Amino acid sequence: MKQVIHFSFLIFFIFFICCTATSAQAPAESPAESPAAVPSGPIKIIAILKKSGHFTTFIRLLKNTDMAEQVNGQLKKTNIGRTIFAPPDSGFSDLKLGTLNSLSGSEQLQLVQFHVIPAYLSVLQLQTATNPVHTVAGDSNEGDFQLNVTSSSTQVNITTGVVNATITDTLFNENGRLAVYQVDHVLLPLKLFGTSPLTPPPSKPEKDDGLNATAPASSGVVDPNCQVTAAISVGVAVAALFSLWL
């Protein structure tokens, strides 16, 4: 009887050890499934633009005007969100030479602020937005910083009264926090640019077909060959008259 009890206890002990070992070796929760493992660090607008690789001028403006730090800080402290229109380097190359350097520090800040909407707007929300759209630069209702968004079935267009631009790509989109859209032109506010500083496309030279050719102006110098020809003509005429007279 004692042997049966000891044997039963031994079986129970072995079963307990096996269960304990199995529990210890159970796979841990994967980082993707763990809420604590989801990245929750602050958004860096410069890092987003650098990843795309062709926003050097806009990045420099964001840094020089401290707008990069302002946007990062606002996204960290508030839940309102931001929408940024980012022109690539090719958009800045469309401007006349020296356009950016002609702006003061405060004007460069206003130019960058004109590319930032103080709210998160998805593409669908942009398509249904009420115009004029308010930017960080100032009150759009006065017309100085007026930004109007229109859309079609295939694209979203932005007009400022100075330039027309189109959203060509979505660089970053975190619902409710930040949307960064690439635009093909720099958004130029009416307050800073009364007339468009865009470089006009080079004109094609007109084809010379000879129909519009003009006669060269007279220089006042008589060609010697013309003098000889005139003298011969006069001589022939005099000889003819003399022969008739005889």
Side-chain angles (χ1 to χ4, degrees):
M1 182 65 179
K2 292 182 179 180
Q3 293 178 348
V4 173
I5 295 174
H6 289 311
F7 181 78
S8 299
F9 179 79
L10 180 62
I11 294 298
F12 175 79
F13 181 78
I14 294 174
F15 177 78
F16 177 79
I17 294 298
C18 290
C19 290
T20 304
T22 303
S23 300
Q25 296 176 1
E29 189 178 24
S30 64
E33 298 172 348
S34 175
V38 177
S40 58
I43 297 175
K44 300 292 185 180
I45 180 61
I46 297 299
I48 294 172
L49 295 175
K50 281 185 175 181
K51 185 177 180 181
S52 299
H54 53 279
F55 293 90
T56 305
T57 304
F58 192 55
I59 288 175
R60 185 171 70 249
L61 285 173
L62 286 169
K63 289 181 177 180
N64 292 344
T65 59
D66 292 329
M67 273 302 295
E69 292 301 321
Q70 290 184 32
V71 170
N72 293 336
Q74 290 162 352
L75 291 173
K76 184 178 179 180
K77 296 178 182 179
T78 66
N79 296 323
I80 298 177
R82 291 293 184 270
T83 300
I84 298 177
F85 300 113
D89 294 332
S90 58
F92 284 96
S93 65
D94 291 337
L95 301 177
K96 292 180 180 178
L97 188 64
T99 297
L100 294 180
N101 292 333
S102 66
L103 300 177
S104 64
S106 60
E107 289 174 336
Q108 289 188 5
L109 175 60
Q110 288 178 321
L111 177 62
V112 178
Q113 290 175 331
F114 193 56
H115 290 73
V116 181
I117 296 176
Y120 168 84
L121 294 177
S122 65
V123 174
L124 180 60
Q125 289 172 321
L126 282 172
Q127 292 174 337
T128 58
T130 301
N131 289 317
V133 177
H134 181 69
T135 68
V136 179
D139 188 2
S140 57
N141 292 321
E142 296 181 358
D144 292 339
F145 294 98
Q146 190 164 344
L147 192 73
N148 293 309
V149 180
T150 59
S151 62
S152 63
S153 58
T154 58
Q155 63 185 22
V156 177
N157 302 316
I158 303 171
T159 60
T160 69
V162 180
V163 65
N164 299 323
T166 300
I167 294 179
T168 57
D169 193 12
T170 300
L171 303 177
F172 183 84
N173 183 24
E174 184 173 326
N175 188 22
R177 294 191 67 191
L178 177 64
V180 183
Y181 302 107
Q182 177 177 319
V183 290
D184 57 354
H185 293 297
V186 181
L187 304 182
L188 305 173
L190 192 62
K191 182 176 182 179
L192 302 182
F193 305 95
T195 58
S196 176
L198 295 177
T199 303
S203 58
K204 295 181 180 180
E206 296 183 1
K207 183 179 180 180
D208 186 8
D209 54 5
L211 297 177
N212 297 322
T214 57
S218 174
S219 62
V221 179
V222 180
D223 189 351
N225 294 329
C226 294
Q227 291 180 330
V228 174
T229 303
I232 293 175
S233 300
V234 172
V236 171
V238 171
L241 291 174
F242 183 76
S243 63
L244 291 176
W245 182 74
L246 292 178

